[in-house]
Structures are given as C-alpha cells and as structure tokens.
Amino acid sequence: MTAMTATQTPPASLHDPVIGWFEQHARDLPWRRPEAGAWGVMVSEFMLQQTPVSRVLPVYEQWLARWPRPADLAAEPPGEAVRAWGRLGYPRRALRLHGAAQAITERHGGDVPSEHGQLLALPGIGEYTAAAVASFAYGQRHAVLDTNVRRVFARAATGIQYPPNATTAAERKLARALLPEEDERAARWAAATMELGALVCTAKNEDCTQCPIAGQCAWRLAGKPAHQGPPRRGQTYAGTDRQVRGRLLAVLREAVAPVPQSALDEVWDEPVQRARALDGLVADGLVEPLAGGQYRLPLS
DNA sequence: GAGGCGTGGCT
DNA sequence: TAGCCAAGCCT
C-alpha cells in the first residue's frame, strides 16, 4: 500500500525502458537460448539458487550434456547427481533436483510441467522457482520475486535501499501490480528486472548512470537514504557444521569406492562435531552408511 | 518466522 | 582482513 503510493509514475512507464535496456544488455546465457528448453531452464534455476552465474556455467553445460532429459537423470542413483553437483554448494539441491526429475518422469510423462501448482509440488521448487520456470520456459505471466527483483522494486518503487529479510505480502502485491498485462511481455519484464538487479542495481556499488529508470527511481530521487531496519542476516561459516559437512562430502565426491570412517576422520579433528555433521548428512540422504563403518554417496 | 544449509570471489 | 554477497528452499 505505502509502496504503491511511493511511485509517482504509472507502472507501465517502467516497462519500455527496462525491457529496452534488457534487449541491449542481456547476457547470452545458455539457459536463455531456445534449445535449453524447460528442463534446461529448470536445471539452471536449481543451480542458481544462491550460487553465482560464473560458477554455474561449466556445471550446467556438463549436466545437460550428460542428462539432456529429466528421465536421464532419474535413471541414475541420487549420489551421481551429488557428485556431478561438484562444488556448487548446498548439495541438497542436487538431491532435490534428482527427486524432481524422478517425479517428472513418473507423474508428468518426462516433461517439465508448465502449471505453477505442479511445479511448486516438486521437491526443491518454491515460490520463486515455480514462477521462474513457468515464466522463462513457458512464457507465462507470474510475479517472479528473487533477490534481484526485490531489490530493484524496493529502490525504484518503494524508495528504500534494501527489501525486508523475508518476502512480504506488500512486495507480492507490488510485483503483481507492476506486471505487464500480456503474457510474453510479463515474462520479458521478469527477466529484465532480474537482469537489471544483477548487473546495474546491485546490492553494493549500484551504477545508476547505467540504469534505464534512474529518473523514476524513488530511492535515488530521495537521495539514496541508507538502509534503516534490522541488519540483514549474515552467514557465518568458519567452524560451523556446514564447513564440516562440506569437507566430508568433498571426500565422498572424489572417492570411487566406499570410504572408511578413518578417511572421514581426517577432515576435522573435533570428534563430536564431526560425528554430528556426518549424522546430519546421512539423515539428509546425502550419504549412505554401509556395514563395517564405510560410507558412500547414496545409490538410492 | 527464524535458522540451517556450501562455496568462493570480491572489497 | 573479515565479512558481504550470490536467480532460495525447507522445517
């Protein structure tokens, strides 16, 4: 509500400059090419959840070459997905992508579903990814609210430097209000606003001189007031279970045969935390314990 | 709704 | 240097 009143210009006046800028400056990314198909779009969205484009690119190419259709991935053990995931981080995404491929193969005849609700029902697909796949792969009209778009809207429309930590109802309402009426144009708008946030309206060191809507940006027009609210939740890493899990899984990814407990013991010297991390990996289905104290990536 | 969950580049 | 940040999801 307050967000809407902050825009002194009608929403439609933003569409042309942003989409026009996108047509001039969009990166040529493989998942944006027609040949990527819905599966390529979906794979890219999984990989891009919290991981930068530059690190996704090589893994994406290898993944699609090896598993060109969902059924190809579904036919392999989940551990192979975890291994191919490499060092992209958050390896549970690999497991969920494998699970999604299985569900697509079993429930959708091997084709990535186009309905938002069916996408949302797949493992690893939340509100953002469901909207992104439906929009980018199928040209549908959805509010696609990722961290880039939320930041662009926070600045341009609401006049604040950063959006709230969690997506709010007000943000969804604003995003829907800004959406172009026509399907294909809405999909272009979604991709364009995301790209603008990724390349120009970045979290730090934004470059307003390159922004096609700088003249209408509420935040800029207000003098770029600094972020108020609660600090954005930081991520600690050193010394956490996450770091231990990462080291344990790295050993198992590289191994071609089951690994003895002793090999895992070498990656972390604190036994209680080490055991907790390993238990967590097993509980998550990322590691399969075998008889005799051996471990491997899951075969099922 | 807060917290857990990887990894590496950049400032 | 030590955070900060990167197309979130799940519990």
Side-chain angles (χ1 to χ4, degrees), chain A residues 126-154:
Chain A
E127 187 173 324
Y128 160 75
T129 303
V133 172
S135 181
F136 302 151
Y138 295 111
Q140 295 174 19
R141 183 176 183 272
H142 293 281
V144 180
L145 272 181
D146 81 320
T147 187
N148 290 307
V149 176
R150 294 181 63 217
R151 186 174 54 249
V152 169
F153 288 174

mmCIF file of all heavy atoms in Angstrom, chain A residues 126-154:
data_model
loop_
_atom_site.group_PDB
_atom_site.id
_atom_site.type_symbol
_atom_site.label_atom_id
_atom_site.label_comp_id
_atom_site.label_asym_id
_atom_site.label_seq_id
_atom_site.Cartn_x
_atom_site.Cartn_y
_atom_site.Cartn_z
ATOM 1 N N GLY A 126 10.287 -23.852 -4.893
ATOM 2 C CA GLY A 126 9.458 -22.992 -4.049
ATOM 3 C C GLY A 126 8.768 -21.949 -4.903
ATOM 4 O O GLY A 126 8.704 -22.074 -6.133
ATOM 5 N N GLU A 127 8.276 -20.926 -4.262
ATOM 6 C CA GLU A 127 7.501 -19.923 -4.975
ATOM 7 C C GLU A 127 8.296 -19.249 -6.085
ATOM 8 O O GLU A 127 7.805 -19.067 -7.198
ATOM 9 C CB GLU A 127 6.998 -18.880 -3.976
ATOM 10 C CG GLU A 127 6.047 -17.874 -4.580
ATOM 11 C CD GLU A 127 5.432 -16.969 -3.519
ATOM 12 O OE1 GLU A 127 5.168 -17.459 -2.408
ATOM 13 O OE2 GLU A 127 5.220 -15.784 -3.819
ATOM 14 N N TYR A 128 9.522 -18.896 -5.780
ATOM 15 C CA TYR A 128 10.328 -18.224 -6.795
ATOM 16 C C TYR A 128 10.589 -19.129 -7.997
ATOM 17 O O TYR A 128 10.361 -18.727 -9.146
ATOM 18 C CB TYR A 128 11.681 -17.744 -6.229
ATOM 19 C CG TYR A 128 12.643 -17.520 -7.365
ATOM 20 C CD1 TYR A 128 12.515 -16.410 -8.184
ATOM 21 C CD2 TYR A 128 13.610 -18.475 -7.701
ATOM 22 C CE1 TYR A 128 13.320 -16.228 -9.294
ATOM 23 C CE2 TYR A 128 14.420 -18.309 -8.804
ATOM 24 C CZ TYR A 128 14.279 -17.181 -9.596
ATOM 25 O OH TYR A 128 15.061 -17.028 -10.686
ATOM 26 N N THR A 129 11.100 -20.323 -7.748
ATOM 27 C CA THR A 129 11.498 -21.199 -8.855
ATOM 28 C C THR A 129 10.295 -21.623 -9.698
ATOM 29 O O THR A 129 10.392 -21.715 -10.927
ATOM 30 C CB THR A 129 12.258 -22.427 -8.320
ATOM 31 O OG1 THR A 129 13.400 -21.982 -7.559
ATOM 32 C CG2 THR A 129 12.744 -23.311 -9.452
ATOM 33 N N ALA A 130 9.169 -21.868 -9.071
ATOM 34 C CA ALA A 130 7.967 -22.224 -9.822
ATOM 35 C C ALA A 130 7.576 -21.091 -10.772
ATOM 36 O O ALA A 130 7.281 -21.314 -11.952
ATOM 37 C CB ALA A 130 6.821 -22.535 -8.865
ATOM 38 N N ALA A 131 7.615 -19.864 -10.268
ATOM 39 C CA ALA A 131 7.275 -18.714 -11.102
ATOM 40 C C ALA A 131 8.313 -18.509 -12.205
ATOM 41 O O ALA A 131 7.965 -18.180 -13.346
ATOM 42 C CB ALA A 131 7.173 -17.456 -10.239
ATOM 43 N N ALA A 132 9.571 -18.727 -11.868
ATOM 44 C CA ALA A 132 10.643 -18.521 -12.840
ATOM 45 C C ALA A 132 10.540 -19.521 -13.994
ATOM 46 O O ALA A 132 10.653 -19.142 -15.162
ATOM 47 C CB ALA A 132 12.010 -18.639 -12.150
ATOM 48 N N VAL A 133 10.324 -20.790 -13.681
ATOM 49 C CA VAL A 133 10.224 -21.805 -14.737
ATOM 50 C C VAL A 133 8.984 -21.557 -15.593
ATOM 51 O O VAL A 133 9.046 -21.599 -16.831
ATOM 52 C CB VAL A 133 10.202 -23.219 -14.130
ATOM 53 C CG1 VAL A 133 9.910 -24.263 -15.208
ATOM 54 C CG2 VAL A 133 11.540 -23.526 -13.448
ATOM 55 N N ALA A 134 7.871 -21.276 -14.941
ATOM 56 C CA ALA A 134 6.640 -21.030 -15.697
ATOM 57 C C ALA A 134 6.786 -19.806 -16.599
ATOM 58 O O ALA A 134 6.278 -19.776 -17.722
ATOM 59 C CB ALA A 134 5.463 -20.833 -14.732
ATOM 60 N N SER A 135 7.515 -18.815 -16.114
ATOM 61 C CA SER A 135 7.679 -17.582 -16.880
ATOM 62 C C SER A 135 8.732 -17.722 -17.973
ATOM 63 O O SER A 135 8.468 -17.439 -19.147
ATOM 64 C CB SER A 135 8.070 -16.450 -15.914
ATOM 65 O OG SER A 135 8.226 -15.230 -16.605
ATOM 66 N N PHE A 136 9.921 -18.190 -17.601
ATOM 67 C CA PHE A 136 11.034 -18.223 -18.565
ATOM 68 C C PHE A 136 10.907 -19.369 -19.564
ATOM 69 O O PHE A 136 11.305 -19.241 -20.723
ATOM 70 C CB PHE A 136 12.369 -18.325 -17.825
ATOM 71 C CG PHE A 136 12.613 -17.206 -16.859
ATOM 72 C CD1 PHE A 136 13.386 -17.389 -15.724
ATOM 73 C CD2 PHE A 136 12.054 -15.954 -17.084
ATOM 74 C CE1 PHE A 136 13.603 -16.349 -14.828
ATOM 75 C CE2 PHE A 136 12.262 -14.908 -16.201
ATOM 76 C CZ PHE A 136 13.041 -15.107 -15.065
ATOM 77 N N ALA A 137 10.390 -20.499 -19.105
ATOM 78 C CA ALA A 137 10.313 -21.656 -20.001
ATOM 79 C C ALA A 137 9.014 -21.670 -20.799
ATOM 80 O O ALA A 137 8.985 -22.163 -21.927
ATOM 81 C CB ALA A 137 10.446 -22.951 -19.191
ATOM 82 N N TYR A 138 7.946 -21.152 -20.200
ATOM 83 C CA TYR A 138 6.642 -21.264 -20.849
ATOM 84 C C TYR A 138 5.984 -19.924 -21.157
ATOM 85 O O TYR A 138 4.837 -19.878 -21.603
ATOM 86 C CB TYR A 138 5.719 -22.126 -19.983
ATOM 87 C CG TYR A 138 6.193 -23.558 -19.863
ATOM 88 C CD1 TYR A 138 6.675 -24.069 -18.665
ATOM 89 C CD2 TYR A 138 6.164 -24.414 -20.977
ATOM 90 C CE1 TYR A 138 7.117 -25.393 -18.558
ATOM 91 C CE2 TYR A 138 6.609 -25.726 -20.887
ATOM 92 C CZ TYR A 138 7.082 -26.210 -19.675
ATOM 93 O OH TYR A 138 7.519 -27.515 -19.584
ATOM 94 N N GLY A 139 6.688 -18.830 -20.887
ATOM 95 C CA GLY A 139 6.180 -17.529 -21.277
ATOM 96 C C GLY A 139 4.927 -17.090 -20.547
ATOM 97 O O GLY A 139 4.147 -16.301 -21.071
ATOM 98 N N GLN A 140 4.740 -17.596 -19.341
ATOM 99 C CA GLN A 140 3.537 -17.243 -18.592
ATOM 100 C C GLN A 140 3.725 -15.951 -17.791
ATOM 101 O O GLN A 140 4.842 -15.472 -17.606
ATOM 102 C CB GLN A 140 3.155 -18.383 -17.634
ATOM 103 C CG GLN A 140 2.751 -19.658 -18.347
ATOM 104 C CD GLN A 140 2.532 -20.801 -17.371
ATOM 105 O OE1 GLN A 140 2.346 -20.582 -16.178
ATOM 106 N NE2 GLN A 140 2.587 -22.026 -17.879
ATOM 107 N N ARG A 141 2.626 -15.445 -17.291
ATOM 108 C CA ARG A 141 2.616 -14.200 -16.526
ATOM 109 C C ARG A 141 2.612 -14.501 -15.027
ATOM 110 O O ARG A 141 1.593 -14.928 -14.479
ATOM 111 C CB ARG A 141 1.374 -13.384 -16.907
ATOM 112 C CG ARG A 141 1.259 -12.020 -16.250
ATOM 113 C CD ARG A 141 0.032 -11.285 -16.783
ATOM 114 N NE ARG A 141 -0.106 -9.932 -16.250
ATOM 115 C CZ ARG A 141 -0.755 -9.642 -15.108
ATOM 116 N NH1 ARG A 141 -1.312 -10.605 -14.403
ATOM 117 N NH2 ARG A 141 -0.839 -8.385 -14.701
ATOM 118 N N HIS A 142 3.762 -14.310 -14.403
ATOM 119 C CA HIS A 142 3.872 -14.531 -12.962
ATOM 120 C C HIS A 142 4.753 -13.443 -12.349
ATOM 121 O O HIS A 142 5.670 -12.947 -12.999
ATOM 122 C CB HIS A 142 4.517 -15.881 -12.653
ATOM 123 C CG HIS A 142 3.691 -17.065 -13.048
ATOM 124 N ND1 HIS A 142 2.629 -17.518 -12.295
ATOM 125 C CD2 HIS A 142 3.765 -17.884 -14.127
ATOM 126 C CE1 HIS A 142 2.087 -18.573 -12.886
ATOM 127 N NE2 HIS A 142 2.752 -18.815 -14.003
ATOM 128 N N ALA A 143 4.481 -13.115 -11.106
ATOM 129 C CA ALA A 143 5.386 -12.247 -10.354
ATOM 130 C C ALA A 143 6.589 -13.093 -9.957
ATOM 131 O O ALA A 143 6.461 -14.060 -9.211
ATOM 132 C CB ALA A 143 4.691 -11.683 -9.121
ATOM 133 N N VAL A 144 7.738 -12.759 -10.495
ATOM 134 C CA VAL A 144 8.965 -13.524 -10.213
ATOM 135 C C VAL A 144 9.801 -12.708 -9.239
ATOM 136 O O VAL A 144 10.470 -11.755 -9.625
ATOM 137 C CB VAL A 144 9.736 -13.801 -11.519
ATOM 138 C CG1 VAL A 144 10.993 -14.593 -11.233
ATOM 139 C CG2 VAL A 144 8.851 -14.564 -12.510
ATOM 140 N N LEU A 145 9.745 -13.097 -7.974
ATOM 141 C CA LEU A 145 10.381 -12.289 -6.937
ATOM 142 C C LEU A 145 11.635 -12.960 -6.394
ATOM 143 O O LEU A 145 11.565 -13.701 -5.422
ATOM 144 C CB LEU A 145 9.392 -12.044 -5.794
ATOM 145 C CG LEU A 145 8.481 -10.824 -5.925
ATOM 146 C CD1 LEU A 145 7.579 -10.707 -4.705
ATOM 147 C CD2 LEU A 145 9.305 -9.552 -6.098
ATOM 148 N N ASP A 146 12.748 -12.676 -6.993
ATOM 149 C CA ASP A 146 14.013 -13.149 -6.443
ATOM 150 C C ASP A 146 14.705 -11.962 -5.767
ATOM 151 O O ASP A 146 14.164 -10.858 -5.716
ATOM 152 C CB ASP A 146 14.893 -13.751 -7.545
ATOM 153 C CG ASP A 146 15.613 -12.674 -8.311
ATOM 154 O OD1 ASP A 146 14.971 -11.633 -8.582
ATOM 155 O OD2 ASP A 146 16.796 -12.836 -8.620
ATOM 156 N N THR A 147 15.907 -12.204 -5.281
ATOM 157 C CA THR A 147 16.585 -11.163 -4.516
ATOM 158 C C THR A 147 16.885 -9.942 -5.384
ATOM 159 O O THR A 147 16.869 -8.801 -4.903
ATOM 160 C CB THR A 147 17.879 -11.716 -3.887
ATOM 161 O OG1 THR A 147 18.431 -10.738 -3.019
ATOM 162 C CG2 THR A 147 18.892 -12.115 -4.947
ATOM 163 N N ASN A 148 17.153 -10.165 -6.688
ATOM 164 C CA ASN A 148 17.429 -9.038 -7.584
ATOM 165 C C ASN A 148 16.197 -8.180 -7.816
ATOM 166 O O ASN A 148 16.246 -6.961 -7.707
ATOM 167 C CB ASN A 148 17.953 -9.567 -8.927
ATOM 168 C CG ASN A 148 19.349 -10.142 -8.802
ATOM 169 O OD1 ASN A 148 20.254 -9.496 -8.308
ATOM 170 N ND2 ASN A 148 19.512 -11.382 -9.246
ATOM 171 N N VAL A 149 15.106 -8.844 -8.150
ATOM 172 C CA VAL A 149 13.869 -8.121 -8.432
ATOM 173 C C VAL A 149 13.374 -7.396 -7.179
ATOM 174 O O VAL A 149 12.925 -6.240 -7.251
ATOM 175 C CB VAL A 149 12.782 -9.088 -8.937
ATOM 176 C CG1 VAL A 149 11.469 -8.363 -9.149
ATOM 177 C CG2 VAL A 149 13.238 -9.756 -10.241
ATOM 178 N N ARG A 150 13.481 -8.062 -6.046
ATOM 179 C CA ARG A 150 13.038 -7.430 -4.801
ATOM 180 C C ARG A 150 13.834 -6.158 -4.517
ATOM 181 O O ARG A 150 13.284 -5.157 -4.055
ATOM 182 C CB ARG A 150 13.180 -8.422 -3.639
ATOM 183 C CG ARG A 150 12.244 -9.620 -3.742
ATOM 184 C CD ARG A 150 12.417 -10.542 -2.542
ATOM 185 N NE ARG A 150 12.065 -9.864 -1.312
ATOM 186 C CZ ARG A 150 12.699 -10.036 -0.151
ATOM 187 N NH1 ARG A 150 13.712 -10.874 -0.070
ATOM 188 N NH2 ARG A 150 12.304 -9.398 0.920
ATOM 189 N N ARG A 151 15.126 -6.199 -4.807
ATOM 190 C CA ARG A 151 15.957 -5.016 -4.575
ATOM 191 C C ARG A 151 15.603 -3.892 -5.553
ATOM 192 O O ARG A 151 15.516 -2.725 -5.174
ATOM 193 C CB ARG A 151 17.440 -5.385 -4.683
ATOM 194 C CG ARG A 151 18.385 -4.240 -4.307
ATOM 195 C CD ARG A 151 19.829 -4.709 -4.297
ATOM 196 N NE ARG A 151 20.225 -5.332 -5.534
ATOM 197 C CZ ARG A 151 20.507 -6.631 -5.687
ATOM 198 N NH1 ARG A 151 20.447 -7.432 -4.651
ATOM 199 N NH2 ARG A 151 20.855 -7.116 -6.859
ATOM 200 N N VAL A 152 15.394 -4.240 -6.808
ATOM 201 C CA VAL A 152 15.020 -3.235 -7.815
ATOM 202 C C VAL A 152 13.704 -2.561 -7.429
ATOM 203 O O VAL A 152 13.583 -1.332 -7.465
ATOM 204 C CB VAL A 152 14.901 -3.882 -9.212
ATOM 205 C CG1 VAL A 152 14.245 -2.919 -10.200
ATOM 206 C CG2 VAL A 152 16.285 -4.295 -9.718
ATOM 207 N N PHE A 153 12.733 -3.374 -7.028
ATOM 208 C CA PHE A 153 11.434 -2.808 -6.655
ATOM 209 C C PHE A 153 11.535 -1.993 -5.367
ATOM 210 O O PHE A 153 10.887 -0.951 -5.221
ATOM 211 C CB PHE A 153 10.393 -3.930 -6.484
ATOM 212 C CG PHE A 153 9.973 -4.563 -7.791
ATOM 213 C CD1 PHE A 153 9.137 -5.673 -7.798
ATOM 214 C CD2 PHE A 153 10.413 -4.061 -9.010
ATOM 215 C CE1 PHE A 153 8.749 -6.263 -9.002
ATOM 216 C CE2 PHE A 153 10.033 -4.644 -10.216
ATOM 217 C CZ PHE A 153 9.196 -5.756 -10.212
ATOM 218 N N ALA A 154 12.321 -2.487 -4.422
ATOM 219 C CA ALA A 154 12.489 -1.752 -3.163
ATOM 220 C C ALA A 154 13.011 -0.344 -3.445
ATOM 221 O O ALA A 154 12.532 0.640 -2.873
ATOM 222 C CB ALA A 154 13.448 -2.501 -2.235
#
